Structure formats: structure tokens, C-alpha cells
Amino acid sequence: MVQTADVEGKMKEAVEHLSNEFRNLRTGRVNTQILDGVNVEVYGSMMNLKQVATMSVRERDIIITPFDQQTLHAIAKGIEDSPVKLQAIVEGKQHVRVPVPPLDANMRKDIVKQAKQKKEEAKVSIRNIRRDSNNEVKRDQDGGSITEDERKRMEKKIQELTDKFCKDVDGMFDEKEKEILTV
């Protein structure tokens, strides 16, 4: 039997996933979160950059200080091979510097386009949850475990949740778009 709390939980997960996706998109200001998805080959296996180093921001650069100095070159290679398309510079034996160039107008438009695509994927995910939940409610009614009035009430509640979370997604996108386009 469908519980609206379960439906709401699934929709929240879709919104949280979108939030994580948005964190990985570049904006006008330098942020270490753009390197969150970077994996580095160290000690014979792939590890997330956060597991092998600390990161900080200095002006327009991200400074990466590894826990083990022998991993400097592996970290630089991992960043350069990642989809973020940034150059990593090994400086001495202490850290890796990643200069983050300012975004030009075309790059900003491309990033907004990526954000819009991620927004639409999140909304599709929410609508799929709605569809699956409504189908389950109909099966419950057909099975005799709920009445037609209960089915209609449940479908209405599911639609209200769908509307609420789609509105949240739109708000998140508007905020991210503003952040990306701010020079």
C-alpha cells in the first residue's frame, strides 16, 4: 500500500540529487566543490580527491595539499583527466595549484544549458515517481485494500507533492542560473 511519506521521501531524494549535481557546476566564483567528482589513481586504486588531499581557495586558484606528498603527480593527472577541464600545476613538493579561469559569456551559457538539462531530468524523475505511485494506488483499489474515495484522495496528495517538488526544482534552477550568470 502506498504511503505518502514514502512518495515524499523519494521525491526529496530526486531534489537532493539535483542539488549535488548543481554543486558540481562551475559558477563565476572559485569553489572547491567543482572538484568533488574528481577521482585519482593512488595506491593502486581509484580514490576521490577528498580522500587523498585537502583543498582551499586562494584568489582564482584552488590549492590542493595531499596527505601524502608522493601523490602530487597522480592528483594533477586525475584533475587533468577529469571532465572539469582544468589544468593542474604541481608546485614544489607541497601542493598542486589549479588556476580557475574566469568564465566567458559562451561558457556561462553552456553551463546554464547543462543546469537546465539537469533540472528537466529531476522533474522527469519526480513525475516518474508520481506515475509509479498512482499506478500502485490503482492496484491497491483493484485489489480491494482501499476504496475509490481513498484512491482519489491519495492521487490528489501525490499530485500536490509533485507540484511542490517541481516548484522547488524550478526555484533551485533559478538560483543556480543567477549564480552562474553573475559576473
Side-chain angles (χ1 to χ4, degrees):
M1 185 151 153
V2 175
Q3 299 293 321
T4 54
D6 295 340
V7 175
E8 187 173 8
K10 290 177 185 176
M11 289 183 180
K12 276 183 183 173
E13 286 177 19
V15 172
E16 287 170 12
H17 178 75
L18 176 66
S19 178
N20 289 334
E21 292 284 323
F22 278 176
R23 255 188 245 122
N24 293 333
L25 292 176
R26 281 187 61 192
T27 59
R29 51 181 197 257
V30 179
N31 190 337
T32 60
Q33 291 176 334
I34 61 174
L35 298 177
D36 278 356
V38 174
N39 290 316
V40 179
E41 187 176 346
V42 291
Y43 313 120
S45 64
M46 295 301 283
M47 297 177 75
N48 189 285
L49 182 57
K50 286 181 175 181
Q51 295 174 309
V52 297
T54 60
M55 295 181 277
S56 61
V57 175
R58 188 183 335 145
E59 296 174 22
R60 295 229 36 100
D61 298 335
I62 297 174
I63 306 300
I64 301 161
T65 307
F67 301 133
D68 179 357
Q69 302 303 322
Q70 296 175 351
T71 61
L72 278 169
H73 293 286
I75 289 171
K77 183 175 179 354
I79 292 168
E80 290 176 359
D81 293 346
S82 75
V84 293
K85 297 182 175 89
L86 292 173
Q87 175 106 23
I89 303 164
V90 176
E91 291 191 336
K93 295 180 181 177
Q94 265 67 43
H95 61 267
V96 176
R97 184 172 58 89
V98 181
V100 181
L103 298 173
D104 64 14
N106 289 335
M107 290 172 74
R108 289 179 192 277
K109 287 178 187 174
D110 287 344
I111 294 170
V112 168
K113 199 180 295 182
Q114 290 174 17
K116 192 175 285 188
Q117 181 180 355
K118 291 178 187 307
K119 173 191 87 162
E120 290 305 319
E121 289 170 1
K123 288 173 101 172
V124 166
S125 177
I126 290 169
R127 291 183 193 122
N128 286 341
I129 293 166
R130 175 190 61 191
R131 183 197 63 222
D132 295 344
S133 300
N134 283 340
N135 287 341
E136 196 173 327
V137 168
K138 287 175 184 160
R139 280 194 300 274
D140 288 346
Q141 182 194 358
D142 292 343
S145 60
I146 64 171
T147 65
E148 183 176 347
D149 288 342
E150 288 174 305
R151 177 185 62 94
K152 287 182 179 180
R153 184 181 52 76
M154 294 282 286
E155 287 176 345
K156 182 179 179 196
K157 180 66 176 162
I158 291 168
Q159 184 59 48
E160 288 170 358
L161 288 170
T162 302
D163 294 342
K164 175 191 176 295
F165 284 105
C166 283
K167 186 178 176 186
D168 290 351
V169 165
D170 287 335
M172 288 171 60
F173 170 76
D174 292 342
E175 195 175 300
K176 190 65 176 183
E177 181 181 34
K178 184 178 173 185
E179 188 179 333
I180 292 167
L181 294 177
T182 301
V183 179

